[in-house]
Amino acid sequence: MVSIVSVAKAAGVSNKTVSRVINGEPHVTEDTRERVEKAIRDLGYIPNMAARQIRSSRSNTFGIITDYVSTTPYSVDIVRGIQDWANRHGKSILMANTGGLPEREAEIWKMFQSHRIDGVLYVTMYHRVVDPEAGDVSIPTVMINCRPHTSELLPSIEPDDFQGARDLTRYLLERGHRRIGYIRLNPILLGAELRLDAFRRTVKEFGLAESDLSIRLGMEGPVGAEENYVFAAATEMLQQKDRPTAIMSGNDEMAIQIYIAALTSGLRIPQDVSIVGFDDFRTVSLALKPELTTAALPYYDLGFQGAEWLNSVISEEMVRASRRVISCKLVERASVCAL
Protein backbone atom coordinates (compact mmCIF):
# COMPACT_ATOMS: atom_id res chain seq x y z
CA MET A 1 0.00 0.00 0.00
CA VAL A 2 1.32 3.44 -0.97
CA SER A 3 1.99 5.56 2.11
CA ILE A 4 2.28 9.26 2.76
CA VAL A 5 6.04 8.70 3.13
CA SER A 6 6.19 7.43 -0.47
CA VAL A 7 4.33 10.50 -1.71
CA ALA A 8 6.63 12.85 0.23
CA LYS A 9 9.71 11.15 -1.20
CA ALA A 10 8.39 11.30 -4.77
CA ALA A 11 7.47 14.98 -4.43
CA GLY A 12 10.67 15.92 -2.60
CA VAL A 13 8.83 17.38 0.39
CA SER A 14 8.20 16.53 4.03
CA ASN A 15 5.43 14.27 5.28
CA LYS A 16 3.85 17.32 6.93
CA THR A 17 3.71 19.17 3.63
CA VAL A 18 1.89 16.26 2.02
CA SER A 19 -0.61 16.33 4.89
CA ARG A 20 -1.16 20.05 4.39
CA VAL A 21 -1.92 19.53 0.71
CA ILE A 22 -4.27 16.60 1.39
CA ASN A 23 -6.12 18.58 4.06
CA GLY A 24 -6.41 21.68 1.88
CA GLU A 25 -4.48 23.79 4.37
CA PRO A 26 -2.89 27.15 3.49
CA HIS A 27 0.81 28.05 3.56
CA VAL A 28 1.73 25.75 0.66
CA THR A 29 3.07 27.27 -2.55
CA GLU A 30 1.23 26.49 -5.78
CA ASP A 31 4.33 24.80 -7.21
CA THR A 32 4.67 22.53 -4.16
CA ARG A 33 0.94 21.74 -4.18
CA GLU A 34 1.12 20.73 -7.85
CA ARG A 35 4.15 18.46 -7.21
CA VAL A 36 2.41 16.72 -4.33
CA GLU A 37 -0.84 16.29 -6.24
CA LYS A 38 1.07 14.84 -9.20
CA ALA A 39 2.86 12.37 -6.91
CA ILE A 40 -0.49 11.35 -5.40
CA ARG A 41 -1.90 10.72 -8.86
CA ASP A 42 1.17 8.90 -10.15
CA LEU A 43 1.42 6.63 -7.13
CA GLY A 44 -2.32 6.09 -6.75
CA TYR A 45 -2.23 7.18 -3.13
CA ILE A 46 -5.59 7.05 -1.28
CA PRO A 47 -5.73 8.95 2.03
CA ASN A 48 -7.02 7.08 5.07
CA MET A 49 -10.10 9.18 5.81
CA ALA A 50 -10.91 7.50 9.11
CA ALA A 51 -7.41 8.07 10.45
CA ARG A 52 -7.45 11.69 9.32
CA GLN A 53 -10.74 12.29 11.09
CA ILE A 54 -9.46 10.80 14.35
CA ARG A 55 -6.27 12.87 14.26
CA SER A 56 -7.88 16.17 13.28
CA SER A 57 -11.34 15.78 14.86
CA ARG A 58 -12.66 16.92 11.47
CA SER A 59 -14.21 14.94 8.65
CA ASN A 60 -13.12 17.32 5.86
CA THR A 61 -16.68 16.99 4.61
CA PHE A 62 -19.22 19.72 3.91
CA GLY A 63 -22.91 18.96 3.89
CA ILE A 64 -25.36 20.58 1.47
CA ILE A 65 -28.98 20.85 2.50
CA THR A 66 -31.26 21.81 -0.38
CA ASP A 67 -34.97 22.08 -0.96
CA TYR A 68 -35.16 21.23 -4.67
CA VAL A 69 -31.96 22.81 -5.93
CA SER A 70 -30.20 19.66 -7.12
CA THR A 71 -33.01 18.95 -9.58
CA THR A 72 -33.65 22.55 -10.65
CA PRO A 73 -31.94 23.58 -13.89
CA TYR A 74 -31.73 27.25 -12.90
CA SER A 75 -29.76 26.77 -9.72
CA VAL A 76 -27.81 23.56 -10.21
CA ASP A 77 -24.74 25.74 -10.87
CA ILE A 78 -24.71 26.57 -7.14
CA VAL A 79 -23.90 22.92 -6.45
CA ARG A 80 -21.32 22.91 -9.24
CA GLY A 81 -19.58 25.91 -7.67
CA ILE A 82 -19.51 24.21 -4.27
CA GLN A 83 -18.17 20.99 -5.77
CA ASP A 84 -15.43 22.76 -7.71
CA TRP A 85 -14.27 24.55 -4.56
CA ALA A 86 -14.34 21.26 -2.63
CA ASN A 87 -12.34 19.43 -5.32
CA ARG A 88 -9.75 22.18 -5.32
CA HIS A 89 -9.34 22.05 -1.53
CA GLY A 90 -9.55 18.34 -0.82
CA LYS A 91 -13.00 18.38 0.73
CA SER A 92 -15.80 15.87 0.30
CA ILE A 93 -19.44 16.79 -0.23
CA LEU A 94 -22.52 15.08 1.19
CA MET A 95 -25.76 16.42 -0.29
CA ALA A 96 -29.35 15.84 0.85
CA ASN A 97 -32.67 17.10 -0.53
CA THR A 98 -35.48 18.00 1.85
CA GLY A 99 -38.18 18.07 -0.83
CA GLY A 100 -39.43 21.13 1.03
CA LEU A 101 -40.49 19.00 4.03
CA PRO A 102 -39.56 20.43 7.48
CA GLU A 103 -39.54 17.01 9.14
CA ARG A 104 -37.17 15.65 6.49
CA GLU A 105 -34.90 18.65 6.98
CA ALA A 106 -34.75 18.07 10.75
CA GLU A 107 -33.70 14.46 10.10
CA ILE A 108 -30.95 15.60 7.74
CA TRP A 109 -29.49 18.00 10.32
CA LYS A 110 -29.30 15.16 12.85
CA MET A 111 -27.76 12.82 10.27
CA PHE A 112 -25.11 15.41 9.39
CA GLN A 113 -24.28 15.82 13.08
CA SER A 114 -23.90 12.07 13.51
CA HIS A 115 -21.52 11.97 10.53
CA ARG A 116 -19.45 14.78 12.10
CA ILE A 117 -19.92 17.03 9.10
CA ASP A 118 -17.59 20.03 9.44
CA GLY A 119 -20.08 22.58 8.13
CA VAL A 120 -23.34 22.98 6.24
CA LEU A 121 -24.21 24.96 3.13
CA TYR A 122 -27.94 25.64 3.28
CA VAL A 123 -29.07 26.19 -0.31
CA THR A 124 -32.50 27.17 -1.64
CA MET A 125 -33.97 26.81 -5.13
CA TYR A 126 -35.05 30.44 -5.31
CA HIS A 127 -34.00 33.61 -3.48
CA ARG A 128 -36.05 33.79 -0.30
CA VAL A 129 -36.16 34.38 3.46
CA VAL A 130 -36.21 31.15 5.46
CA ASP A 131 -35.12 29.75 8.84
CA PRO A 132 -33.36 26.37 8.80
CA GLU A 133 -35.08 23.60 10.78
CA ALA A 134 -31.90 22.71 12.68
CA GLY A 135 -33.51 22.28 16.09
CA ASP A 136 -30.81 21.81 18.74
CA VAL A 137 -28.18 20.77 16.17
CA SER A 138 -25.27 23.20 16.09
CA ILE A 139 -23.03 23.02 13.01
CA PRO A 140 -21.23 25.95 11.32
CA THR A 141 -23.56 27.04 8.51
CA VAL A 142 -23.62 29.46 5.59
CA MET A 143 -26.91 30.15 3.81
CA ILE A 144 -26.78 30.40 0.02
CA ASN A 145 -29.44 32.09 -2.14
CA CYS A 146 -31.44 32.84 1.01
CA ARG A 147 -31.32 34.71 4.29
CA PRO A 148 -32.70 33.96 7.78
CA HIS A 149 -35.86 35.46 9.28
CA THR A 150 -34.76 35.49 12.87
CA SER A 151 -31.42 33.76 13.44
CA GLU A 152 -28.75 36.39 13.95
CA LEU A 153 -25.87 33.94 13.83
CA LEU A 154 -26.15 32.57 10.30
CA PRO A 155 -24.14 34.27 7.56
CA SER A 156 -25.79 34.41 4.15
CA ILE A 157 -24.70 35.01 0.56
CA GLU A 158 -27.25 36.08 -2.04
CA PRO A 159 -27.63 37.45 -5.57
CA ASP A 160 -28.06 41.23 -5.82
CA ASP A 161 -31.45 41.23 -7.55
CA PHE A 162 -31.88 44.94 -6.84
CA GLN A 163 -28.62 45.89 -8.57
CA GLY A 164 -29.35 43.63 -11.56
CA ALA A 165 -32.78 45.18 -12.15
CA ARG A 166 -31.43 48.68 -11.61
CA ASP A 167 -28.75 48.13 -14.26
CA LEU A 168 -31.28 46.72 -16.75
CA THR A 169 -33.61 49.68 -16.18
CA ARG A 170 -30.78 52.17 -16.65
CA TYR A 171 -29.74 50.32 -19.80
CA LEU A 172 -33.17 50.94 -21.33
CA LEU A 173 -33.41 54.52 -20.12
CA GLU A 174 -29.94 55.39 -21.43
CA ARG A 175 -31.06 54.16 -24.86
CA GLY A 176 -33.91 56.61 -24.97
CA HIS A 177 -36.82 54.48 -23.75
CA ARG A 178 -39.34 56.49 -21.74
CA ARG A 179 -42.49 54.36 -22.05
CA ILE A 180 -41.53 51.13 -20.33
CA GLY A 181 -43.63 48.12 -19.41
CA TYR A 182 -42.85 45.77 -16.54
CA ILE A 183 -44.34 42.29 -16.11
CA ARG A 184 -43.85 41.11 -12.54
CA LEU A 185 -42.71 37.82 -11.16
CA ASN A 186 -44.70 36.06 -8.44
CA PRO A 187 -44.88 38.63 -5.57
CA ILE A 188 -44.18 36.00 -2.90
CA LEU A 189 -40.60 35.72 -4.22
CA LEU A 190 -38.01 37.92 -2.54
CA GLY A 191 -36.26 38.51 -5.86
CA ALA A 192 -39.50 39.65 -7.48
CA GLU A 193 -40.00 42.44 -4.97
CA LEU A 194 -36.35 43.53 -5.08
CA ARG A 195 -36.43 43.72 -8.88
CA LEU A 196 -39.68 45.69 -8.99
CA ASP A 197 -38.44 48.08 -6.30
CA ALA A 198 -35.26 48.71 -8.27
CA PHE A 199 -37.29 49.38 -11.44
CA ARG A 200 -39.61 51.87 -9.69
CA ARG A 201 -36.77 53.74 -7.99
CA THR A 202 -34.62 53.95 -11.12
CA VAL A 203 -37.33 55.31 -13.44
CA LYS A 204 -38.22 57.85 -10.74
CA GLU A 205 -34.58 58.98 -10.63
CA PHE A 206 -34.81 59.59 -14.39
CA GLY A 207 -37.93 61.73 -13.94
CA LEU A 208 -40.50 59.39 -15.44
CA ALA A 209 -44.13 59.80 -14.40
CA GLU A 210 -46.38 56.92 -13.33
CA SER A 211 -48.30 57.42 -16.60
CA ASP A 212 -45.15 56.48 -18.53
CA LEU A 213 -45.15 53.03 -16.95
CA SER A 214 -47.23 49.91 -17.49
CA ILE A 215 -46.81 47.46 -14.61
CA ARG A 216 -48.69 44.16 -14.77
CA LEU A 217 -48.71 41.02 -12.66
CA GLY A 218 -47.33 38.05 -14.59
CA MET A 219 -47.68 35.23 -12.05
CA GLU A 220 -49.12 34.54 -8.62
CA GLY A 221 -49.83 31.60 -6.34
CA PRO A 222 -47.76 28.79 -4.75
CA VAL A 223 -44.25 28.43 -6.18
CA GLY A 224 -44.31 25.69 -8.80
CA ALA A 225 -48.08 25.90 -9.23
CA GLU A 226 -48.56 29.55 -10.19
CA GLU A 227 -51.34 31.11 -12.20
CA ASN A 228 -49.70 32.50 -15.34
CA TYR A 229 -50.92 35.77 -16.88
CA VAL A 230 -47.82 36.75 -18.86
CA PHE A 231 -49.11 36.36 -22.43
CA ALA A 232 -52.40 38.12 -21.67
CA ALA A 233 -50.63 40.94 -19.80
CA ALA A 234 -48.09 41.46 -22.58
CA THR A 235 -50.77 41.38 -25.29
CA GLU A 236 -52.91 43.95 -23.47
CA MET A 237 -49.86 46.12 -22.88
CA LEU A 238 -48.80 46.04 -26.53
CA GLN A 239 -52.28 46.93 -27.79
CA GLN A 240 -52.38 50.22 -25.90
CA LYS A 241 -52.50 53.38 -27.98
CA ASP A 242 -49.28 54.61 -26.37
CA ARG A 243 -47.76 51.16 -26.03
CA PRO A 244 -44.39 50.73 -24.33
CA THR A 245 -41.28 50.90 -26.47
CA ALA A 246 -39.60 48.44 -24.10
CA ILE A 247 -40.77 45.71 -21.71
CA MET A 248 -38.89 44.34 -18.72
CA SER A 249 -39.71 40.71 -17.96
CA GLY A 250 -39.59 39.33 -14.43
CA ASN A 251 -37.37 36.51 -15.69
CA ASP A 252 -36.17 34.88 -18.91
CA GLU A 253 -38.89 32.22 -19.03
CA MET A 254 -41.59 34.86 -18.91
CA ALA A 255 -39.84 36.64 -21.78
CA ILE A 256 -40.76 33.74 -24.08
CA GLN A 257 -44.44 34.64 -23.77
CA ILE A 258 -43.68 38.35 -24.22
CA TYR A 259 -41.85 37.53 -27.46
CA ILE A 260 -44.84 35.51 -28.63
CA ALA A 261 -47.25 38.31 -27.71
CA ALA A 262 -45.16 40.84 -29.64
CA LEU A 263 -44.91 38.66 -32.73
CA THR A 264 -48.61 37.80 -32.57
CA SER A 265 -49.34 41.54 -32.48
CA GLY A 266 -47.27 42.03 -35.63
CA LEU A 267 -44.41 43.78 -33.86
CA ARG A 268 -40.71 43.34 -34.54
CA ILE A 269 -38.14 42.77 -31.80
CA PRO A 270 -36.30 45.05 -31.13
CA GLN A 271 -37.30 47.54 -33.87
CA ASP A 272 -40.85 47.99 -32.53
CA VAL A 273 -40.44 46.80 -28.96
CA SER A 274 -37.31 46.06 -26.94
CA ILE A 275 -37.43 43.24 -24.38
CA VAL A 276 -35.13 42.36 -21.48
CA GLY A 277 -35.25 39.40 -19.10
CA PHE A 278 -33.53 38.35 -15.87
CA ASP A 279 -31.59 35.22 -14.79
CA ASP A 280 -29.65 34.43 -18.01
CA PHE A 281 -31.12 30.96 -18.15
CA ARG A 282 -29.27 30.18 -21.36
CA THR A 283 -31.61 27.49 -22.60
CA VAL A 284 -33.99 30.42 -23.05
CA SER A 285 -31.86 33.55 -23.44
CA LEU A 286 -29.74 32.12 -26.27
CA ALA A 287 -32.58 30.19 -27.93
CA LEU A 288 -34.78 33.25 -28.37
CA LYS A 289 -34.22 35.17 -31.59
CA PRO A 290 -33.09 37.84 -31.34
CA GLU A 291 -31.09 36.65 -28.34
CA LEU A 292 -32.26 38.10 -25.05
CA THR A 293 -30.56 40.91 -23.16
CA THR A 294 -30.74 39.98 -19.49
CA ALA A 295 -29.03 40.03 -16.09
CA ALA A 296 -27.18 36.87 -15.06
CA LEU A 297 -27.84 35.31 -11.67
CA PRO A 298 -24.38 34.43 -10.26
CA TYR A 299 -25.28 30.88 -9.22
CA TYR A 300 -21.81 29.37 -9.71
CA ASP A 301 -20.16 32.18 -7.74
CA LEU A 302 -22.72 31.85 -4.94
CA GLY A 303 -21.73 28.21 -4.54
CA PHE A 304 -17.98 28.71 -4.85
CA GLN A 305 -17.77 31.75 -2.58
CA GLY A 306 -20.25 30.24 -0.13
CA ALA A 307 -18.03 27.17 0.29
CA GLU A 308 -14.97 29.37 0.73
CA TRP A 309 -16.75 31.44 3.36
CA LEU A 310 -17.91 28.33 5.24
CA ASN A 311 -14.33 27.09 5.34
CA SER A 312 -13.28 30.40 6.92
CA VAL A 313 -16.08 30.18 9.48
CA ILE A 314 -14.95 26.66 10.44
CA SER A 315 -11.28 27.63 10.63
CA GLU A 316 -11.96 30.66 12.81
CA GLU A 317 -14.39 28.64 14.95
CA MET A 318 -16.50 31.75 15.20
CA VAL A 319 -19.65 32.81 13.33
CA ARG A 320 -20.30 36.46 12.62
CA ALA A 321 -23.78 37.30 11.42
CA SER A 322 -23.42 39.10 8.11
CA ARG A 323 -24.90 39.17 4.64
CA ARG A 324 -23.01 39.29 1.37
CA VAL A 325 -24.41 39.92 -2.09
CA ILE A 326 -22.95 39.09 -5.49
CA SER A 327 -23.77 41.32 -8.44
CA CYS A 328 -25.96 40.16 -11.32
CA LYS A 329 -24.00 41.06 -14.45
CA LEU A 330 -25.87 42.69 -17.33
CA VAL A 331 -25.56 40.54 -20.46
CA GLU A 332 -26.09 42.63 -23.59
CA ARG A 333 -27.49 40.79 -26.61
CA ALA A 334 -29.75 41.73 -29.51
CA SER A 335 -33.23 42.26 -28.02
CA VAL A 336 -32.84 46.01 -27.33
CA CYS A 337 -32.37 48.91 -29.71
CA ALA A 338 -31.85 52.60 -29.03
CA LEU A 339 -34.52 55.15 -29.93
Side-chain angles (χ1 to χ4, degrees):
M1 180 180 294
V2 178
S3 69
I4 196 170
V5 176
S6 305
V7 174
K9 185 176 180 180
V13 299
S14 68
N15 297 351
K16 181 61 177 176
T17 298
V18 175
S19 294
R20 287 197 182 103
V21 172
I22 293 171
N23 293 323
E25 296 176 10
H27 312 305
V28 179
T29 67
E30 194 59 34
D31 177 66
T32 299
R33 187 179 301 279
E34 288 176 1
R35 290 206 323 272
V36 171
E37 289 174 347
K38 182 178 185 301
I40 289 172
R41 289 193 302 271
D42 291 347
L43 296 173
Y45 173 67
I46 301 175
N48 186 325
M49 301 301 293
R52 286 169 59 192
Q53 184 170 336
I54 291 169
R55 287 194 301 269
S56 67
S57 77
R58 291 182 181 169
S59 63
N60 277 306
T61 301
F62 288 175
I64 301 175
I65 296 179
T66 78
D67 43 13
Y68 305 99
V69 70
S70 61
T71 55
T72 304
Y74 305 148
S75 44
V76 70
D77 275 353
I78 295 177
V79 177
R80 188 168 63 86
I82 294 170
Q83 190 67 65
D84 282 356
W85 185 92
N87 290 342
R88 189 175 301 181
H89 294 86
K91 305 291 184 182
S92 298
I93 296 295
L94 182 61
M95 184 165 66
N97 263 337
T98 69
L101 301 173
E103 60 274 18
R104 173 61 182 149
E105 182 183 327
E107 292 171 0
I108 291 169
W109 281 101
K110 291 177 182 178
M111 181 266 289
F112 278 179
Q113 185 177 50
S114 69
H115 282 74
R116 301 176 68 183
I117 296 296
D118 291 337
V120 171
L121 294 159
Y122 189 91
V123 184
T124 56
M125 175 183 69
Y126 59 90
H127 190 189
R128 62 191 177 107
V129 178
V130 61
D131 279 327
E133 301 284 343
D136 58 0
V137 175
S138 179
I139 306 174
T141 301
V142 170
M143 301 178 72
I144 299 180
N145 205 32
C146 53
R147 71 176 77 149
H149 275 109
T150 56
S151 175
E152 298 179 355
L153 294 178
L154 290 180
S156 64
I157 185 166
E158 309 164 52
D160 196 341
D161 287 278
F162 185 94
Q163 162 268 319
R166 182 192 61 208
D167 289 355
L168 280 169
T169 307
R170 285 178 177 170
Y171 181 82
L172 293 174
L173 291 165
E174 288 168 356
R175 280 151 186 77
H177 294 278
R178 291 298 181 269
R179 293 194 310 279
I180 303 175
Y182 190 99
I183 299 184
R184 299 174 56 186
L185 266 173
N186 191 332
I188 69 174
L189 302 178
L190 175 60
E193 294 308 289
L194 290 170
R195 296 173 194 182
L196 178 60
D197 186 32
F199 171 72
R200 287 186 179 278
R201 291 193 189 192
T202 306
V203 295
K204 186 176 181 180
E205 289 170 3
F206 273 72
L208 271 66
E210 194 69 25
S211 59
D212 296 318
L213 310 177
S214 296
I215 301 174
R216 302 288 185 274
L217 181 64
M219 292 182 174
E220 65 178 348
V223 175
E226 295 97 338
E227 293 289 331
N228 190 314
Y229 316 125
V230 178
F231 179 79
T235 300
E236 181 270 329
M237 193 179 284
L238 292 169
Q239 289 176 351
Q240 296 174 8
K241 181 179 178 181
D242 291 324
R243 60 174 174 80
T245 60
I247 296 178
M248 289 186 64
S249 175
N251 66 17
D252 293 347
E253 270 197 309
M254 291 168 59
I256 298 172
Q257 296 183 64
I258 301 173
Y259 266 58
I260 295 171
L263 296 172
T264 302
S265 302
L267 301 175
R268 300 167 298 166
I269 306 165
Q271 295 90 336
D272 298 319
V273 60
S274 295
I275 299 172
V276 298
F278 206 113
D279 291 355
D280 198 24
F281 180 37
R282 295 191 174 193
T283 301
V284 172
S285 59
L286 295 178
L288 287 171
K289 298 296 182 274
E291 293 180 355
L292 182 65
T293 294
T294 186
L297 282 171
Y299 280 136
Y300 180 89
D301 291 338
L302 288 173
F304 194 94
Q305 294 186 31
E308 189 167 42
W309 193 7
L310 177 60
N311 192 59
S312 297
V313 169
I314 294 167
S315 298
E316 294 171 7
E317 297 182 349
M318 179 174 65
V319 179
R320 293 181 179 176
S322 58
R323 184 168 71 92
R324 299 179 184 177
V325 293
I326 301 181
S327 63
C328 300
K329 181 182 177 183
L330 192 148
V331 182
E332 183 177 8
R333 297 197 178 101
S335 63
V336 175
C337 70
L339 297 181

